[in-house]
Amino acid sequence: MAYRCAVLGCGGRSGPHMQAYKDLDNMRLVAACDMDEKRLQNAGAKFGVPGLYTNLDDMLRTEKPDVLHIVTPPTIREGPIEQAGRAGVKGIIVEKPVALNGPQAATIAALAKQYGLKIAVNTQRRYASNCQAVRKILAENRIGDIVFVRGAARGNILSMGPHLLDLLQFFLNDLPPKTVWACAHGMNGYDYNHPAPAKVLARFVYPNGVTAYIEDADDAVCTPGEEGFWQNHRLDFWGSKGRAWYVQNHDCGYQAEGMATPVAEPTPWATEDLTGQREFTRAMGEWLADDRRPHGNRLDNSLQQFNMFMATMLSIHLRRPVEFPANVPADIVATVEKELKQ
Ligand SMILES: NC(=O)c1ccc[n+]([C@@H]2O[C@H](COP(=O)([O-])OP(=O)(O)OC[C@H]3O[C@@H](n4cnc5c(N)ncnc54)[C@H](O)[C@@H]3O)[C@@H](O)[C@H]2O)c1
């Protein structure tokens, strides 16, 4: 049986969402919706989508999808989730960031509960084969016990930050950190839909002693030779017996003590994004079919990462470490924004 799936939003990111269906057997793309008729028609023709709609409620009523992809800017999240819940949708794939602030995240969590929705947030990289390979290197202890991590991205903490935090948590087995201590400079200008500090440096300490420094900054040292902010993304791990790394659109690998040269493989973004998106999407179907196979990017994990973002904001504001679980004032993002603009 294949689940009936529909996509809301036919903008830049919707391409990989729709293309992923080419090679899926447990899910079928039946419809797409965009209020921009031209974008809708272009996407429909390019990906062979049978049902095309300019109104979400019309699409939900007519197509009765099992799964809705929400591929809209981050201010447009709760509305479509509620419409989908009311229409009987079972699974939601929603783009990152899951929310821009505390109240939005709380509303989404409440809607998931109210309608019994299985929600996965589209930080698809953990399903890419390169990232799976790095996780295996770490899980097999090939570099010994992890001691120190450095993660960096050039997009801000709400644009590339969700990918960076998701991969960090994936590689560290989704263990919640113990504390965060962060600082920031300036507000971001270019990620206008994702307003956040331009430069954030955060130190997370985990209960097992691992320390992770995370840098989301427009001039962070990331992928050699890449200009676009979305391609500048890396994580480096130092262990008791060696080091491992994932550098987007460059390479990933490891080198342990006693190895004369590293073992590495290329990380071509064009293919890795597509395989990651396809396997991420397949995992939603597997979760819908079997509660015992929860999605790696399920809302619980994403909200834990969102809490890491919120605690980072609180630490920037307080100028001291914040402990987890963090109880963060709902308006912390607006408070930090005001302070950074002064
Ligand atoms: N996972 C990734 O790797 C990745 C990459 C790029 C962007 N993103 C995320 O994807 C999201 C969308 O980004 P984008 O660049 O595709 O945005 P976009 O602005 O290009 O496209 C959004 C589309 O949604 C449509 N839309 C919005 N509200 C609608 C409604 N109520 N009814 C019908 N249509 C509606 C708009 O008309 C537009 O065409 C963002 O949150 C972004 O952060 C994720």
Side-chain angles (χ1 to χ4, degrees):
M1 179 206 135
Y3 291 106
R4 293 172 61 78
C5 306
V7 173
L8 172 68
C10 298
R13 183 60 206 169
S14 67
H17 283 254
M18 298 194 199
Q19 198 171 343
Y21 281 88
K22 200 166 76 62
D23 297 312
L24 286 179
D25 45 15
N26 64 342
M27 327 259 292
R28 187 157 53 94
L29 184 58
V30 296
C33 170
D34 201 304
M35 54 199 179
D36 182 322
E37 181 83 42
K38 196 168 165 218
R39 283 188 166 193
L40 177 68
Q41 293 302 333
N42 284 346
K46 186 167 179 190
F47 299 104
V49 189
L52 299 178
Y53 298 82
T54 52
N55 179 283
L56 175 58
D57 280 328
D58 288 348
M59 177 171 80
L60 294 171
R61 199 178 320 109
T62 310
E63 301 288 347
K64 298 188 176 31
D66 300 300
V67 175
L68 179 69
H69 295 241
I70 299 177
V71 195
T72 53
T75 46
I76 307 169
R77 295 277 184 269
E78 316 89 299
I81 291 175
E82 177 146 40
Q83 285 169 271
R86 269 195 265 117
V89 167
K90 302 181 190 82
I92 304 257
I93 289 173
V94 60
E95 262 302 342
K96 47 62 51 176
V98 60
L100 294 173
N101 51 53
Q104 201 185 7
T107 304
I108 291 169
L111 289 170
K113 206 166 166 194
Q114 179 181 350
Y115 292 105
L117 291 165
K118 288 182 173 169
I119 299 182
V121 178
N122 207 77
T123 38
Q124 75 283 9
R125 283 166 176 74
R126 68 164 72 194
Y127 283 95
S129 54
N130 288 151
C131 296
Q132 298 270 332
V134 173
R135 180 133 191 278
K136 195 160 175 276
I137 289 167
L138 299 174
E140 290 174 353
N141 241 26
R142 285 192 229 166
I143 64 162
D145 294 331
I146 300 170
V147 178
F148 177 74
V149 188
R150 188 247 181 189
R154 282 204 183 163
N156 75 27
I157 194 166
L158 280 174
S159 66
M160 281 299 283
H163 291 301
L164 189 54
L165 283 184
D166 184 62
L167 276 190
L168 173 73
Q169 290 302 98
F170 175 56
F171 292 137
L172 300 182
N173 298 318
D174 291 303
L175 185 69
K178 204 167 66 169
T179 62
V180 60
W181 196 356
C183 56
H185 298 280
M187 274 302 288
N188 189 292
Y190 60 79
D191 295 342
Y192 59 97
N193 267 329
H194 305 61
K199 302 176 201 296
V200 171
L201 184 62
R203 184 198 66 172
F204 293 97
V205 178
Y206 289 80
N208 57 6
V210 173
T211 296
Y213 279 94
I214 292 301
E215 189 182 357
D216 279 289
D218 45 16
D219 54 0
V221 174
C222 300
T223 304
E226 289 291 350
E227 293 300 323
F229 74 85
W230 66 94
Q231 290 292 22
N232 270 279
H233 186 209
R234 72 182 293 153
L235 287 123
D236 292 88
F237 299 84
W238 282 267
S240 53
K241 289 192 300 195
R243 73 176 196 98
W245 63 92
Y246 164 76
V247 185
Q248 182 175 308
N249 214 28
H250 196 269
D251 72 342
C252 68
Y254 79 106
Q255 184 170 15
E257 279 171 12
M259 287 167 59
T261 53
V263 172
E265 63 184 53
T267 54
W269 175 242
T271 48
E272 282 301 304
D273 184 25
L274 281 181
T275 55
Q277 190 65 55
R278 186 190 65 219
E279 296 312 309
F280 172 102
T281 309
R282 189 195 308 281
M284 170 53 84
E286 290 169 351
W287 187 23
L288 286 178
D290 186 349
D291 286 342
R292 291 165 304 177
R293 300 182 72 182
H295 199 287
N297 297 98
R298 58 191 174 278
L299 189 61
D300 286 354
N301 280 348
S302 291
L303 289 178
Q304 180 186 297
Q305 294 157 24
F306 187 74
N307 190 245
M308 289 169 69
F309 157 73
M310 290 290 278
T312 298
M313 293 294 110
L314 182 59
S315 173
I316 291 166
H317 169 62
L318 296 176
R319 297 164 188 246
R320 61 170 169 77
V322 167
E323 287 190 10
F324 291 94
N327 188 8
V328 186
D331 59 353
I332 191 66
V333 180
T335 304
V336 168
E337 180 170 347
K338 213 166 120 198
E339 288 167 355
L340 290 176
K341 277 182 173 167
Q342 276 168 4

